[in-house]
Amino acid sequence: MEVTCLLLLALIPFHCRGQGVYAPAQAQIVHAGQACVVKEDNISERVYTIREGDTLVLQCLVTGHPRPQVRWTKTAGSASDKFQETSVFNETLRIERIARTQGGRYYCKAENGVGVPAIKSIRVDVQYLDEPVLTVHQTVSDVRGNFYQEKTVFLRCTVNSNPPARFIWKRGSDTLSHSQDNGVDIYEPLYTQGETKVLKLKNLRPQDYASYTCQVSVRNVCGIPDKAITFRLTNTTAPPALKLSVNETLVVNPGENVTVQCLLTGGDPLPQLQWSHGPGPLPLGALAQGGTLSIPSVQARDSGYYNCTATNNVGNPAKKTVNLLVRSMKNATFQITPDVIKESENIQLGQDLKLSCHVDAVPQEKVTYQWFKNGKPARMSKRLLVTRNDPELPAVTSSLELIDLHFSDYGTYLCVASFPGAPVPDLSVEVNISSETVPPTISVPKGRAVVTVREGSPAELQCEVRGKPRPPVLWSRVDKEAALLPSGLPLEETPDGKLRLERVSRDMSGTYRCQTARYNGFNVRPREAQVQLNVQFPPEVEPSSQDVRQALGRPVLLRCSLLRGSPQRIASALWRFKGQLLPPPPAVPVAAEAPDHSELRLDAVTRDSSGSYECSVSNDVGSAACLFQVSAKAYSPEFYFDTPNPTRSHKLSKNYSYVLQWTQREPDAVDPVLNYRLSVRQLNQHNTMVKAIPVRRVEKGQLLEYILTDLRVPHSYEVRLTPYTTFGAGDMASRIIHYTEHNTCHFEDEKICGYTQDLTDNFDWTRQNALTQNPKRSPNTGPPTDISGTPEGYYMFIETSRPRELGDRARLVSPLYNASAKFYCVSFFYHMYGKHIGSLNLLVRSRNKEALDTHAWSLSGNKGNVWQQAHVPINPSGPFQIIFEGVRGSGYLGDIAIDDVTLKKGECPRKQMDPNKGEEAGEGGDCSSPRPQRLGRKAKPPCPGSPPQQGKSTTGDPH
C-alpha cells in the first residue's frame, strides 16, 4: 500500500479587520435533471419546466462563511399560500416522478448566522396532457323524439393540460373549420372546467353522420405526444335512460337479502352502469354486477342512498337513486315536563304534567308508541291525553299529558315503541310518578373540587346527582382554547356522574363542567357544577446541554434554569462533577421567592476542573438535568468552502494539489492556538499522513491556508484538522476533498466535453492529434502536437485549406453554464502560426431572455510556432455559453488551434503579458506566455499570480 507524502508549501494567515472572511450567506438556484424548456427565457433561474413523471433536481449553490445551511420550502403556486409543513435540509432537492400538484414556487433559504439569510426562489412548471374526454349534446329546444334526428348537435371535447392544449377537429380524416364548411362552428365555451372546444353541427345533414376525432396537442413540449379521441355519430345516437326494479324508497328488515336492478331503457352507444353509495363505499359483501346490486343479510348500518348511474358520453348521465331503509330502533329516552304555563320545575297536584317518550328509529315515522299505567294500557280521557309530534320535542315523539294532576295519577308509566309486523324487538322505557319524584340537584363531593394527579396516571372527576329519577351527567370543558374533551368529543355522557381519564397529559389541565341532562329525568333547566383538574409533571430545564469554553485560570458561572413544570418551583438542586456529588451551592435567602434556577461558580478553569457537570433539578414530581461540558480546549476550525479553484492539476499528471483554507471558530474564547495537527487519509485506505502546522496568534475571521500536494488523481481524501492550545487538543473538524478539473477540457474524449459545432457558421473545428494528422497537410502552419508535446494528446483546430475562403468562420460552442459567481476567468492555450493567420475570437453568449453574443477577447495574425496561454475575464449576468470563433485569413497557411480550456470562478491573474503589445497588462487583461514544444505531458508552468511551485514555502505575518 502506497503512503501519500505531503509537502508543506505554504501556510499563509491573512490578517483581516473585523469579521475577516466571515460573510453572510448568498444563494443561487440552478437546475439539472430532466428539465425541458418551452421558451428560451425559461432557462433563467426563475422558471424550471419539466414533464410530469420526470425527476426534478434543483441545486442551491451557496457561498458564505461559515458554510451556510440550506432549507428548501415550497408554496402551492403563489407567494400568498402557506409554506408546506415539511422542509428539505439539503443543498440538492430531488423529487422522483414529479406530479402536477408538486408544481409551484420553491424557495431555497441559506443561513449561517452572519447577517440575514439568503432566500432565492424558482417556479417549477410541470407539463402534462391528459386523455381528452368527448361528450355529445343537443339543445333542449330540439328534443322531440329520437335524439339525433334534430337540427343542432354539439360535440364537446375537454382536456386537462399544461401548457394550454391546441384542438383539431376531424370528420373522418378531413380537418374541419368553419371557414371551409358552413355547416360547422368551432368555439370555446365560457365557464368550463379544463380546456374545452365545442364542434357545433348546424342543421344536421346526412354527411354529418360520421366519425369525429378530437385531437389535442401541446406542440410536443417536453416530448409529450398528441392525444386523440373518436366518436361515431349515427341517426340512432341517444343519451342513456334508466328505470329501477324497486321503488325509490325501499324499507327492509335486518337480515334480509336485498337485490335492486337498474334497467337500461335507451342509449346508443351502449351506456356503462355503475353503482355507488352515499355516504361511504358500498357495504362489505355487496356485489354490483352490471345493473344488479345485491346486498346479503342487510344490517342497519347499510342504510343510505344507492345511486345507479349510466353514461355513454351522450347528453347528461342518467341517474336513479334508491333510499334503502333498514328497520331499527335504539336509544329509548323519556322526559318529565312539569306545568310549562306556570313555569314550575316540580310535580304538584292540581298542575299539568307531561311525560314524553322517544326512540331513534329507521324509518322514524313508522314507529308506534303505546302507554301503560301500572301494567295496564292507559285509557284516554279528558284529563289523560296522548299526543304525537310535539313541536317542542324531537320529531316523532309520543307524549302523555296529565291535566290537573290528581293523587290517583301517581303510579308507574311504561312507554313501548315498536314496528308493527316487523321482526324488530320493541323498546320500552319506564317512568315512576309519585310525591317522591323531584327534580335533580348536582354537586361536587367534598374534597373533589380540585383533582391533582401526575402526568401519565389515571384521573377520575366526579359530580353527585340527587333527585328522582337521577338523569345522566354531561361533561364538557370550560376552557375556550381546549373545547374538546380528551375523548375528542365536545360533550360526553356518564350514567354515574364520573368522568374517567386514562393516562392524563399536561394539556388536559383545566376546568371541567358537569351538568344534568334534560332526558331520562326532568325536562328543566340543567343544574351544573365545576371540577378543576391539575396535572403535575416533571420540570423542564435549560440548557439541557451546553458546551462551556473558557481560557485556563478564568472563572465560569454555570446556571440551570427552570422553564416549566407543575409545581412551578425548584424543590431541590444537586450538582455533580464527573458523577461525584458536589457541596450544595449557597442557599437562597428565606425572604426570596421560590427559586427558578440554580447556579454553580468555578473560580478558575483548570485541567482538573474541566469535565462534565450535571445539575439535577426536582419539583417533587420528577427531575430534569442540565449538562455542562466545561473545558479550555479550542473550538473546531471552520473549513472555508469558497476557495476559488482549490484543485490544481496537469493534464496527464498522476498527482494534484489542493488549497485547504479555514478560519478558527471563536479563537478568543480560550487560550491562543499554537499549532494545528493535520491528518490526511485517502478514502478506502488505512495509511494516514500527519503533519504539525505552527501558527502565530490567530484572530477571528483570519483565513489560514495550507496547500496539500502529491494527492493521487482522481482519488478523494479525508482531511482532519485539530487545533492545539496550552490546554491540549481542541475539537477536530473533518471534510472530504475531491479531485475536480474545474471545467477544464483537454479534448481527449470524442465528446469534447459537450462542446458542439455551431450550425450557423461556414465550417467546423476539427479534433486531432499528431498521430491523426494528415501527412500531406500544409507545412509552416498549425501545431505539430498538443500543449503536452506528446503525439497522443488531442487539440481542436481549423483547417484553412480549400475550399475555405477569406472570412469564413468556424464556431465551437460550449455547454450551457449556470452562473453561480459574479466573475469567471476563461483560460486556454492557443496556437496561431502561419503567414495567413486570420483571427481567433472568444465570445460569451448570454441566455437570459434571448441569445446575445458578446465579444470578450480577440487576437489576430501570426504569433509563432508556440503554444501560448490566455486568461479572459467575463462577468455573465445569467446562464451562459462560451464560443471559440476561428476566422480564415487570406490564404491556406492560417491554421489556428486551441487546447486545455478552463472555466474558473473568480477573477483572472492580475499581472500578465499582452502578446499584442509585449508589455504587462493591467487587472482583467489577458495573460499569454510562450511555451516550448516539449514540456512533458501537459505540464504547464503557471502564469504570474499562480500559487508557488513545489519546494517553495512562504509564510505570512498577520502583523
Side-chain angles (χ1 to χ4, degrees), residues 572-576 580-588 598-601:
S572 64
L574 299 177
W575 285 87
R576 291 181 174 85
Q580 300 297 319
L581 190 65
L582 295 176
V588 177
S598 179
E599 294 181 345
L600 177 67
R601 180 180 177 85

Side-chain angles (χ1 to χ4, degrees), residues 501-550:
L501 305 176
E502 301 292 335
R503 298 186 59 83
V504 296
S505 58
R506 62 193 68 180
D507 58 341
M508 295 183 187
S509 296
T511 305
Y512 290 74
R513 176 192 295 114
C514 59
Q515 63 183 40
T516 57
R518 301 183 69 168
Y519 55 88
N520 291 347
F522 276 75
N523 180 21
V524 294
R525 176 182 54 83
R527 278 57 168 166
E528 64 178 51
Q530 293 184 351
V531 179
Q532 179 69 34
L533 174 63
N534 294 331
V535 179
Q536 294 184 333
F537 55 92
E540 295 180 13
V541 295
E542 69 171 1
S544 58
S545 179
Q546 184 177 4
D547 189 9
V548 180
R549 306 293 175 100
Q550 184 60 277

Side-chain angles (χ1 to χ4, degrees), residues 445-456:
K446 185 178 181 180
R448 301 288 296 174
V450 178
V451 176
T452 302
V453 295
R454 293 192 176 187
E455 191 171 37

Side-chain angles (χ1 to χ4, degrees), residues 288-603:
Q289 189 170 9
T292 302
L293 173 66
S294 301
I295 307 176
S297 187
V298 70
Q299 301 298 320
R301 61 178 177 271
D302 299 332
S303 295
Y305 291 93
Y306 290 81
N307 306 305
C308 174
T309 306
T311 57
N312 67 349
N313 290 340
V314 178
N316 295 320
K319 182 178 179 181
K320 294 292 184 179
T321 300
V322 177
N323 183 13
L324 179 63
L325 301 176
V326 182
R327 292 186 178 94
S328 64
M329 287 192 301
K330 59 182 180 180
N331 300 332
T333 58
F334 70 89
Q335 289 179 311
I336 303 173
T337 306
D339 198 321
V340 177
I341 297 177
K342 297 182 179 180
E343 297 181 352
S344 174
E345 290 193 346
N346 295 285
I347 298 177
Q348 298 183 24
L349 296 177
Q351 293 185 359
D352 296 345
L353 181 67
K354 180 166 63 177
L355 308 180
S356 303
C357 173
H358 176 80
V359 295
D360 297 329
V362 177
Q364 189 75 53
E365 65 276 3
K366 299 297 183 181
V367 177
T368 63
Y369 296 92
Q370 189 174 4
W371 286 91
F372 296 84
K373 178 185 177 183
N374 297 329
K376 298 180 179 180
R379 296 180 179 273
M380 298 281 289
S381 66
K382 293 181 179 181
R383 291 195 313 102
L384 193 151
L385 304 175
V386 176
T387 61
R388 188 180 173 98
N389 294 329
D390 190 322
E392 298 180 358
L393 298 173
V396 193
T397 298
S398 178
S399 297
L400 185 147
E401 296 188 44
L402 298 171
I403 308 300
D404 187 17
L405 185 68
H406 292 182
F407 183 81
S408 60
D409 295 326
Y410 286 167
T412 300
Y413 293 82
L414 179 69
C415 173
V416 178
S418 63
F419 277 127
V424 178
D426 296 343
L427 288 182
S428 62
V429 63
E430 190 175 79
V431 186
N432 186 267
I433 301 299
S434 68
S435 59
E436 298 178 355
T437 305
V438 293
T441 61
I442 193 168
S443 61
V444 178
K446 185 178 181 180
R448 301 288 296 174
V450 178
V451 176
T452 302
V453 295
R454 293 192 176 187
E455 191 171 37
S457 302
E460 184 178 270
L461 311 185
Q462 183 178 0
C463 286
E464 290 183 346
V465 178
R466 292 182 174 84
K468 188 177 181 181
R470 286 191 294 183
V473 174
L474 303 178
W475 287 89
S476 60
R477 293 197 68 164
V478 177
D479 314 75
K480 293 182 180 179
E481 297 178 356
L484 298 180
L485 293 166
S487 62
L489 301 173
L491 207 64
E492 188 169 332
E493 176 187 320
T494 59
D496 58 357
K498 296 180 180 179
L499 178 65
R500 296 173 176 85
L501 305 176
E502 301 292 335
R503 298 186 59 83
V504 296
S505 58
R506 62 193 68 180
D507 58 341
M508 295 183 187
S509 296
T511 305
Y512 290 74
R513 176 192 295 114
C514 59
Q515 63 183 40
T516 57
R518 301 183 69 168
Y519 55 88
N520 291 347
F522 276 75
N523 180 21
V524 294
R525 176 182 54 83
R527 278 57 168 166
E528 64 178 51
Q530 293 184 351
V531 179
Q532 179 69 34
L533 174 63
N534 294 331
V535 179
Q536 294 184 333
F537 55 92
E540 295 180 13
V541 295
E542 69 171 1
S544 58
S545 179
Q546 184 177 4
D547 189 9
V548 180
R549 306 293 175 100
Q550 184 60 277
L552 292 173
R554 295 181 182 177
V556 165
L557 180 66
L558 307 180
R559 177 173 177 144
C560 185
S561 299
L562 177 66
L563 284 179
R564 62 188 63 87
S566 180
Q568 180 76 17
R569 61 181 178 82
I570 295 179
S572 64
L574 299 177
W575 285 87
R576 291 181 174 85
F577 173 59
K578 296 181 180 179
Q580 300 297 319
L581 190 65
L582 295 176
V588 177
V590 177
E593 297 179 357
D596 62 355
H597 67 273
S598 179
E599 294 181 345
L600 177 67
R601 180 180 177 85
L602 304 180
D603 293 330

Side-chain angles (χ1 to χ4, degrees), residues 605-747:
V605 175
T606 64
R607 287 184 175 85
D608 293 337
S609 63
S610 297
S612 176
Y613 289 80
E614 178 187 26
C615 176
S616 180
V617 171
S618 172
N619 66 348
D620 292 335
V621 176
S623 61
C626 297
L627 299 178
F628 303 89
Q629 191 65 37
V630 178
S631 167
K633 66 179 182 179
Y635 285 105
S636 62
E638 302 163 316
F639 284 112
Y640 189 68
F641 288 86
D642 297 335
T643 306
N645 310 305
T647 305
R648 298 168 185 175
S649 64
H650 303 300
K651 188 169 183 179
L652 292 182
S653 173
K654 295 182 179 179
N655 297 334
Y656 70 96
S657 63
Y658 194 91
V659 180
L660 188 70
Q661 294 181 312
W662 70 93
T663 59
Q664 178 60 41
R665 177 187 170 194
E666 302 296 338
D668 298 330
V670 296
D671 299 295
V673 176
L674 303 177
N675 60 76
Y676 289 91
R677 180 179 183 270
L678 175 70
S679 65
V680 182
R681 179 183 63 86
Q682 181 180 319
L683 294 186
N684 302 321
Q685 299 292 329
H686 297 291
N687 292 344
T688 301
M689 179 63 186
V690 180
K691 181 71 177 181
I693 306 174
V695 293
R696 298 186 180 183
R697 180 172 180 83
V698 179
E699 297 183 2
K700 185 173 183 178
Q702 181 179 333
L703 189 64
L704 304 176
E705 179 178 297
Y706 183 75
I707 301 179
L708 305 174
T709 62
D710 294 332
L711 305 177
R712 297 295 298 264
V713 174
H715 298 293
S716 299
Y717 291 81
E718 181 189 36
V719 176
R720 297 186 177 185
L721 194 62
T722 306
Y724 277 77
T725 64
T726 54
F727 177 79
D731 292 338
M732 180 269 296
S734 67
R735 65 170 294 190
I736 304 296
I737 60 174
H738 302 280
Y739 172 73
T740 57
E741 293 200 7
H742 304 291
N743 293 319
T744 298
C745 183
H746 303 298
F747 303 113

Side-chain angles (χ1 to χ4, degrees), residues 27-291:
Q28 180 185 5
I29 297 175
V30 296
H31 42 73
Q34 297 171 320
C36 53
V37 178
V38 181
K39 298 179 181 178
E40 212 164 63
D41 60 350
N42 281 357
I43 63 176
S44 69
E45 92 168 349
R46 293 294 179 185
V47 181
Y48 182 102
T49 305
I50 188 171
R51 178 174 175 171
E52 187 174 40
D54 286 348
T55 299
L56 170 71
V57 180
L58 299 177
Q59 186 177 10
C60 190
L61 302 179
V62 295
T63 59
H65 187 70
R67 183 70 167 176
Q69 296 294 314
V70 173
R71 175 189 179 193
W72 284 97
T73 52
K74 174 187 175 291
T75 60
S78 67
S80 62
D81 292 326
K82 293 182 178 180
F83 281 105
Q84 289 183 333
E85 293 182 359
T86 56
S87 299
V88 178
F89 292 87
N90 200 337
E91 292 184 11
T92 300
L93 173 67
R94 184 181 182 90
I95 301 178
E96 304 281 352
R97 296 182 296 277
I98 190 169
R100 66 191 65 179
T101 56
Q102 293 173 303
R105 185 161 293 278
Y106 286 79
Y107 292 82
C108 159
K109 181 180 182 181
E111 54 186 338
N112 61 355
V114 181
V116 297
I119 300 177
K120 295 293 182 180
S121 69
I122 186 171
R123 182 169 62 85
V124 174
D125 195 15
V126 182
Q127 312 281 283
Y128 57 90
L129 177 64
D130 289 345
E131 294 291 338
V133 176
L134 196 156
T135 57
V136 184
H137 302 269
Q138 174 181 343
T139 54
V140 175
S141 60
D142 288 337
V143 176
R144 298 188 187 92
N146 203 334
F147 189 80
Y148 276 108
Q149 294 177 356
E150 304 301 334
K151 292 181 181 180
T152 305
V153 173
F154 300 88
L155 285 81
R156 180 189 296 261
C157 186
T158 302
V159 70
N160 293 316
S161 70
N162 183 33
R166 180 179 61 186
F167 292 78
I168 298 176
W169 280 101
K170 294 181 180 180
R171 179 192 291 128
S173 58
D174 299 329
T175 301
L176 293 174
S177 67
H178 45 258
S179 62
Q180 298 176 355
D181 188 341
N182 293 330
V184 303
D185 188 15
I186 299 175
Y187 63 93
E188 182 176 341
L190 299 175
Y191 311 115
T192 57
Q193 291 185 349
E195 300 167 62
T196 302
K197 275 290 191 300
V198 173
L199 173 63
K200 180 179 179 182
L201 304 177
K202 302 179 290 185
N203 298 320
L204 205 63
R205 304 161 298 181
Q207 63 265 33
D208 292 331
Y209 295 114
S211 292
Y212 291 87
T213 299
C214 173
Q215 180 177 328
V216 292
S217 171
V218 289
R219 295 162 292 281
N220 202 37
V221 60
C222 294
I224 299 175
D226 296 352
K227 296 183 180 180
I229 185 171
T230 300
F231 182 88
R232 181 165 182 79
L233 180 66
T234 70
N235 58 2
T236 61
T237 301
L242 292 175
K243 70 175 184 179
L244 292 173
S245 62
V246 297
N247 295 328
E248 292 185 353
T249 299
L250 180 61
V251 181
V252 298
N253 294 319
E256 293 182 359
N257 297 326
V258 175
T259 300
V260 181
Q261 287 186 323
C262 186
L263 305 175
L264 283 171
T265 59
D268 182 21
L270 184 66
Q272 298 292 319
L273 293 173
Q274 184 176 11
W275 281 96
S276 61
H277 177 229
L282 291 174
L284 188 65
L287 178 63
Q289 189 170 9

